[in-house]
C-alpha cells in the first residue's frame, strides 16, 4: 500500500524519562514537509552518546524522545523541494548535517553545519519547529536530527547521505557515527603522520577506530589505555556462539594497538606513565571516554613543543576541563572533533565505498545483533563493557497508515 503523504503508524522505542527502560510504542510518524525525508530504518546501532543522553546528563536531552543516530535505511518519501534523494534510495542519516551553503559549510575550515543545528538541539524540525512523531496525540521529541530507534523517521534533507545500494545496510549503519569519528579524529583532526607515537584513552568502538586510523596513517607506536582488561586480551565476542564455534578472537591489537596500559596497574599518574614510556611524551593523544580528568591526562602525556591531544569523548553537563596554561605555553595543542571532521553527505558515501573495497573495517566492531524490541537489553550490554556495537533490527511486522483505520 502506498504510504506517501500519509501518517505512518509504526513501532519505535520511546524514552519517556532518563534512566527508565525505553518503551516500544505505536508511534505516528507524519509525512515529510518541505526539505524533509521520511526514511524506513532497517538497522540501527547504539552509540555511547545515546546512553549519555538517556542518562539525563546531556544538557540538550529532552524527554519524551526517540533516541538513536547510527543507522541505515531506505527513503520512503520526500517532501517538497527535495532533489538529492528519492524514494527507494539507500541512505545513512547523519546527525552532523551538511547543507553546503551556510558559512560553516562554505568556510572550508570545519565539518559543522549551521543550517538546522538550532532545531535539532531542541528536538524539532526546522520547517514548523514541531515534531513529526506522536504517541496517542502527544508529541515526542526528535534526537540529534536522526531518531533512528524507530521503524520510520523524518530527517532534514541536509542530514541524509545517499549510499551505494549494494552496501550491506546491517554493517554500514555503523558509518553513521562511531567508526568515522575515530578514523576522522586521526586523519582529519590530528592529521597523524607516519612514524608518530599515539596514545588512545578508552578502547570502545571510537577508541578502536582511532587505532585503526592511526595504523593506516603509519603510526609506529599505538598505546591503548583502558581500565577494563577485557579490551586488551581477547576483545569482545565474549560468550558469543560465533566465537565458541569458530574460535574467533577479536583483540584490540587487530585494530592496530601495539601496547596496552591499564592505569590500575600503576601508582603514578597515567600521564607520567606515558611520558616515561615514550621519552618525553606522545606525538598525539585521543580521549575517547568522556571523562574530564582523563582529558587532562591525555593533554599532559603529550610531548613538549608539539604534542597534540584530541578530545573525542562527550562529557556530562557541568563538567569542565582544566590544566596548567603552562602545558599550552610549552607547545602542546588541545583540540576536539565532531564526527571526526568528516563532511557528512559528501564523505559518508566515500567511507561506504572504502568499506566495500575492504579498506576499512566495520564487521569487527559489531559484537551483538538484536531486534528493536530488545533495545533495553542492548543498553545493558553497552553498559556491561562486553559490547562494542550492538546492531538492532527494527522488525517491520506491520506498517499501516492512520487512514487505514477508517477504510
Ligand atoms: N565527538 C564525537 O563526534 C563523538 C563522541 N563520542 C563519544 O566518544 C566516547 C566513546 O564512545 P564509545 O566508544 O561508543 O564508548 P564505549 O563506552 O564503548 O567506550 C569507552 C571505553 O572507555 C573505557 N574507560 C572508561 N573509563 C575509563 C578510564 N577512567 N580510563 C581508561 N578507560 C576508561 C571503557 O572501559 C570503554 O572501553 C563517548 O563519550 C561518546 O559519547 C562518540 C561518537 C562521536
Ligand atoms: N548535546 C550534547 C552534545 C554532545 C556532542 O558533543 N555531540 C557530538 C557528537 S556525539 C555522537 O555520538 C557532536 O558532534 N557535537 C557537535 C554538535 O554540533 O552537537 C551536549 O551538549 O553535551
Ligand atoms: Zn554516536
Ligand atoms: Zn551548512
Amino acid at each position: 500500500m502506498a504510504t506517501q503523504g500519509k501518517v505512518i503508524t509504526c513501532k519505535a522505542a520511546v524514552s519517556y524519562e532518563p534512566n527508565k527502560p525505553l518503551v516500544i510504542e505505536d508511534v505516528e510518524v507524519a509525512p515529510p514537509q518541505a526539505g524533509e525525508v521520511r526514511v524506513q530504518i532497517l538497522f540501527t546501532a547504539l552509540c555511547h552518546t545515546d546512553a549519555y543522553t538517556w542518562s539525563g546528563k546531556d544538557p540538550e536531552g529532552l524527554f519524551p524522545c526517540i533516541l538513536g543516530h547510527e543507522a541505515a535505511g531506505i527513503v520512503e518519501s520526500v517532501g517538497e523541494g527535495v532533489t538529492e534523494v528519492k524514494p527507494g534510495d539507500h541512505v545513512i542519516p547523519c546527525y552532523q548535517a551538511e547543507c553546503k551553503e551556510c558559512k560553516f559549510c562554505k568556510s572550508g575550515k570545519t565539518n559543522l553545519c549551521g543550517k538546522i543545528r538550532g532545531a535539532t538541539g531542541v528536538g524539532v524540525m526546522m520547517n514548523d519547529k514541531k515534531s513529526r512523531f506522536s504517541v496517542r496525540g502527544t508529541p515526542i521529541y526528535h534526537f540529534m536530527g536522526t531518531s533512528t530507534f524507530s521503524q520510520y523517521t523524518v530527517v532534514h534533507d541536509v542530514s541524509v547521505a545517499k549510499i551505494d545500494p549494494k552496501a550491506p545496510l546491517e554493517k554500514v549503519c555503523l558509518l553513521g557515527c562511531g567508526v568515522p569519528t575515530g578514523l576522522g579524529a586521526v586523519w582529519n583532526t590530528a592529521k597523524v603522520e607516519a612514524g608518530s607515537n599515539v596514545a588512545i584513552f578508552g578502547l570502545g568502538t571510537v577508541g578502536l577506530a582511532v587505532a585503526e586510523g592511526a595504523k593506516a596513517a603509519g603510526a609506529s607506536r599505538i598505546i591503548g589505555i583502558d581500565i577494563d582488561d577485557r579490551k586488551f586480551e581477547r576483545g569482545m565476542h565474549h560468550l558469543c556462539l560465533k566465537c565458541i564455534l569458530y574460535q574467533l578472537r577479536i583483540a584490540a591489537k587487530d585494530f592496530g594497538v601495539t601496547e596496552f596500559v591499564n592505569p590500575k596497574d600503576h601508582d603514578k599518574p597515567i600521564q607520567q606513565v606515558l611520558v616515561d614510556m615514550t621519552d618525553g611524551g606522545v606525538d598525539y593523544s585521543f580521549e575517547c571516554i568522556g571523562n574530564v580528568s582523563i582529558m587532562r591526562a591525555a593533554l599532559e602525556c603529550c610531548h613538549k613543543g608539539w604534542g597534540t591531544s584530541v578530545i573525542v569523548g562527550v562529557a556530562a553537563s557541568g563538567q569542565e576541563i582544566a590544566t596548567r596554561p603552562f602545558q599550552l605555553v610549552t607547545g602542546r595543542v588541545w583540540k576536539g572533533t565532531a564526527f571526526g571532521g568528516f563532511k557528512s553527505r559528501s564523505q559518508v558515501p566515500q567511507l561506504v565505498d572504502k568499506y566495500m573495497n575492504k579498506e576499512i573495517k566495520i564487521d569487527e566492531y559489531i559484537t551483538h545483533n538484536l531486534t528493536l524490541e530488545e533495545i533495553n537489553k542492548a543498553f545493558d550490554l553497552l553498559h556491561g563493557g562486553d559490547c562494542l556495537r550492538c546492531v538492532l533490527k527494527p522488525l517491520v511486522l506491520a506498517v499501516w497508515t492512520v487512514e487505514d483505520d477508517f477504510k
Side-chain angles (χ1 to χ4, degrees):
M1 107 205 43
T3 48
Q4 279 91 343
K6 299 176 181 170
V7 172
I8 290 176
T9 303
C10 68
K11 299 289 180 192
V14 179
S15 306
Y16 281 101
E17 282 181 70
N19 290 310
K20 293 278 163 60
L22 282 64
V23 182
I24 302 295
E25 293 273 23
D26 287 328
V27 171
E28 279 145 27
V29 186
Q33 296 187 6
E36 297 172 5
V37 180
R38 191 160 60 183
V39 179
Q40 182 186 1
I41 298 296
L42 295 190
F43 296 94
T44 179
L46 261 69
C47 166
H48 191 102
T49 306
D50 297 308
Y52 157 73
T53 301
W54 176 71
S55 76
K57 293 178 184 157
D58 179 354
E60 289 185 305
L62 294 164
F63 296 86
C65 70
I66 297 175
L67 297 167
H69 64 283
E70 202 174 89
I74 297 180
V75 173
E76 176 270 341
S77 61
V78 300
E80 196 190 315
V82 175
T83 54
E84 299 209 11
V85 291
K86 59 180 185 320
D89 283 346
H90 288 209
V91 293
I92 292 182
C94 300
Y95 72 82
Q96 191 56 250
E98 184 190 356
C99 76
K100 306 183 185 180
E101 288 164 0
C102 74
K103 74 172 172 183
F104 291 92
C105 286
K106 289 207 289 210
S107 71
K109 296 179 178 179
T110 179
N111 67 328
L112 301 178
C113 168
K115 182 163 182 189
I116 56 156
R117 185 65 183 81
T120 58
V122 291
V124 295
M125 299 303 287
M126 199 179 68
N127 220 25
D128 59 357
K129 308 289 181 292
K130 288 189 177 147
S131 171
R132 301 289 168 264
F133 299 113
S134 59
V135 173
R136 296 178 287 279
T138 302
I140 307 293
Y141 287 112
H142 293 245
F143 170 68
M144 288 176 82
T146 50
S147 289
T148 59
F149 293 162
S150 178
Q151 290 176 329
Y152 286 83
T153 190
V154 177
V155 299
H156 299 93
D157 59 353
V158 292
S159 307
V160 276
K162 180 176 163 179
I163 60 163
D164 180 349
K166 293 191 293 303
L169 297 179
E170 71 276 20
K171 308 288 185 204
V172 296
C173 57
L174 264 63
L175 296 177
C177 184
V179 172
T181 297
L183 296 175
V186 177
W187 297 343
N188 305 322
T189 310
K191 299 187 169 69
V192 169
E193 311 92 0
S196 306
N197 291 340
V198 171
I200 306 164
F201 292 81
L203 297 176
T205 293
V206 174
L208 291 174
V210 166
E212 185 185 351
K215 183 180 178 184
S220 51
R221 290 180 74 182
I222 304 174
I223 306 169
I225 301 111
D226 204 296
I227 49 171
D228 182 350
D229 279 335
R230 289 174 298 176
K231 300 286 155 90
F232 307 150
E233 288 148 15
R234 64 171 293 207
M236 324 310 129
H237 277 233
H238 236 55
L239 303 172
C240 140
L241 186 61
K242 226 165 54 177
C243 302
I244 295 161
L245 291 177
Y246 303 112
Q247 306 292 306
L248 185 64
R249 298 213 164 178
I250 298 173
K253 70 174 170 44
D254 300 326
F255 292 89
V257 178
T258 59
E259 292 152 76
F260 301 106
V261 179
N262 187 334
K264 291 179 179 169
D265 296 338
H266 298 269
D267 297 327
K268 284 186 285 189
I270 188 64
Q271 48 268 59
Q272 192 57 50
V273 173
L274 287 153
V275 166
D276 293 347
M277 280 172 73
T278 54
D279 187 25
V282 297
D283 302 311
Y284 296 97
S285 73
F286 298 84
E287 200 279 356
C288 308
I289 302 164
N291 176 322
V292 292
S293 316
I294 306 295
M295 290 174 189
R296 178 175 194 153
L299 177 79
E300 295 179 359
C301 77
C302 285
H303 203 287
K304 182 176 176 177
W306 62 77
T308 295
S309 185
V310 180
I311 293 177
V312 191
V314 172
S317 173
Q319 297 287 303
E320 293 183 347
I321 49 171
T323 191
R324 276 193 70 207
F326 183 66
Q327 292 284 334
L328 305 185
V329 166
T330 49
R332 294 169 195 82
V333 177
W334 223 346
K335 289 185 161 189
T337 193
F339 197 52
F342 282 116
K343 282 186 174 273
S344 61
R345 284 203 293 150
S346 309
Q347 292 186 284
V348 166
Q350 296 168 8
L351 290 169
V352 169
D353 296 343
K354 272 184 176 292
Y355 168 70
M356 300 290 276
N357 294 332
K358 301 192 186 325
E359 291 168 45
I360 60 171
K361 298 179 196 296
I362 295 184
D363 303 32
E364 291 81 351
Y365 296 94
I366 301 172
T367 52
H368 299 79
N369 291 276
L370 294 173
T371 64
L372 183 66
E373 281 81 353
E374 297 171 294
I375 192 160
N376 291 303
K377 189 172 160 194
F379 271 92
D380 290 345
L381 286 167
L382 197 69
H383 289 123
D386 230 3
C387 171
L388 287 178
R389 281 298 190 258
C390 177
V391 174
L392 304 175
K393 188 174 169 56
L395 290 176
V396 183
L397 299 172
V399 174
W400 64 96
T401 64
V402 163
E403 285 85 345
D404 291 336
D405 293 343
F406 299 98
K407 279 184 186 157

